[in-house]
Amino acid sequence: MRVLVSACLLGVPCRYDGGSKPCAQVLALAEEHQMIPFCPEVYGGLPTPRPPAERVGERVLTQAGADVTCAYARGAQAALDIFRLTGCQAALLKARSPSCGAGAIYDGSFQGRLIPGDGVTAALLKAQGIPVATEEDLSSLFAHLDPVP
């Protein structure tokens, strides 16, 4: 099974703070599935590190108020393109991210409060009928997948 995965979950230092969030469960899945690492913010043209950002309605704003929505939209489209070009069958994304969060994202106040919603990339992939999960709920998505031969 080929899976598009947030690169930070595999240990790639591409997060807004220049770090990564390697996840033992995701790394274990990489032994059984082909993981295609991807960072929508980087593909959207944003640097690493970069100012923290959160979704505010349909826009994505940095903590200083800069509108980075276009970069997030470019990254989401690139994620969809790479998903299709590489023959992925699911996406495993970073929870709560303004790009990758699925089901819950920060509320735009930069106070650590969560609201129901999806990041820009997760929303686009879901709208295309693509199965999306985060590292916090991956068992529901991957329980039925066959390992790569």
Side-chain angles (χ1 to χ4, degrees):
M1 173 70 56
R2 264 194 206 111
V3 180
L4 186 72
V5 63
S6 293
C8 63
L9 294 175
L10 294 172
V12 176
C14 57
R15 285 173 40 91
Y16 75 94
D17 60 4
S20 64
K21 283 285 189 178
C23 176
Q25 291 173 303
V26 174
L27 293 169
L29 283 171
E31 295 178 19
E32 299 177 11
H33 302 280
Q34 292 180 343
M35 299 292 184
I36 308 299
F38 184 81
C39 178
E41 291 96 331
V42 171
Y43 269 77
L46 296 173
T48 302
R50 58 190 163 271
E54 294 185 4
R55 285 196 81 173
V56 179
E58 293 301 311
R59 299 182 335 162
V60 182
L61 304 176
T62 68
Q63 196 166 13
D67 190 330
V68 290
T69 306
C70 288
Y72 277 72
R74 276 193 307 271
Q77 184 60 53
L80 179 59
D81 293 345
I82 288 176
F83 182 94
R84 290 176 172 160
L85 287 170
T86 58
C88 288
Q89 291 135 324
L92 177 53
L93 306 176
K94 178 70 187 100
R96 299 182 300 278
S97 157
S99 282
C100 298
I105 56 173
Y106 291 111
D107 70 357
S109 70
F110 296 90
Q111 300 297 312
R113 290 189 295 259
L114 294 173
I115 57 171
D118 294 322
V120 177
T121 297
L124 179 62
L125 296 178
K126 285 181 171 184
Q128 297 297 310
I130 295 168
V132 172
T134 71
E135 77 280 14
E136 295 177 349
D137 67 358
L138 57 91
S139 62
S140 64
L141 184 61
F142 291 96
H144 67 281
L145 299 181
D146 294 326
V148 174

